[in-house]
Amino acid sequence: MTVSPELDARFRDAAAAEGLLDVAYELHDSPVGKLFVAVTDRGVCEIHYDADPDAEADRLARLFGTRVLRSPRPTDEARRQLDEYFAGERRRFDLPIDLRLAREFGRAVLQELAGVPYGELTTYGALAAKAGRPRAARAVGTVMNRNPVPIVLPCHRVVGSTGALTGYGGGLDRKRTLLELEGAINSQ
């Protein structure tokens, strides 16, 4: 039996409205490609570049619970703020973020990362020091690579000790694009 798109949308909206989802997600077009945006009842839990939605949904089901469904309404606020950011209208995200899966050091680093202002850069070493482990710059790099909520938690603003753009989970072209958008580096 085939379900009409309208009935399917109503089902998804009702499941979200009743709090029956562990994770709701939606795909979102952006200037840096299609974003997979996922939220729990605690906040945004994932933003992923160029994701295979089925594979991501399966992974989220293993991590957060089996009730994972594509449902746009719960992701509306996150997607709206992302659009405002890309339009140059938002410099700071005001979204709850679900970091329950992050380990203690990773959570501390990501909380410090959230404080790096729009258009400014920091280094892995500076973040390590702020997180209480000044010699853990490499570990900070690992946390940045595994950042579950890039853009909102601005790992693109972290550069090497020499100021060089180094690794980015979304690729250096995206990192450069985001930094140019913010005016942190000049267009080349």
Side-chain angles (χ1 to χ4, degrees), residues 84-101:
E84 291 170 355
Y85 168 80
F86 287 117
E89 300 165 357
R90 176 172 291 277
R91 293 176 171 251
R92 187 177 171 281
F93 289 93
D94 184 28
L95 295 166
I97 300 173
D98 185 344
L99 293 177
R100 74 179 107 165
L101 299 179

Side-chain angles (χ1 to χ4, degrees), residues 135-175:
R135 302 175 84 130
R138 292 189 127 195
V140 167
T142 299
V143 172
M144 295 300 97
N145 184 265
R146 295 180 182 158
N147 177 4
V149 192
I151 304 170
V152 173
L153 292 177
C155 52
H156 59 278
R157 297 179 190 153
V158 183
V159 297
S161 60
T162 64
L165 298 187
T166 58
Y168 184 65
L172 287 179
D173 287 343
R174 284 191 177 112
K175 183 172 189 167

Side-chain angles (χ1 to χ4, degrees), residues 30 32-36 47-52 150-151 156 168-171 174-175 178:
S30 82
V32 291
K34 193 168 291 286
L35 300 174
F36 180 96
I47 295 175
H48 200 285
Y49 297 106
D50 302 323
D52 171 346
I151 304 170
H156 59 278
Y168 184 65
R174 284 191 177 112
K175 183 172 189 167
L178 295 170

Side-chain angles (χ1 to χ4, degrees), residues 121-136:
L121 302 175
T122 191
T123 65
Y124 297 97
L127 270 182
K130 285 184 177 182
R133 294 196 30 210
R135 302 175 84 130

Side-chain angles (χ1 to χ4, degrees), residues 51-66:
D52 171 346
D54 293 332
E56 285 302 310
D58 287 346
R59 189 178 67 74
L60 290 171
R62 287 190 304 276
L63 296 171
F64 289 97
T66 58

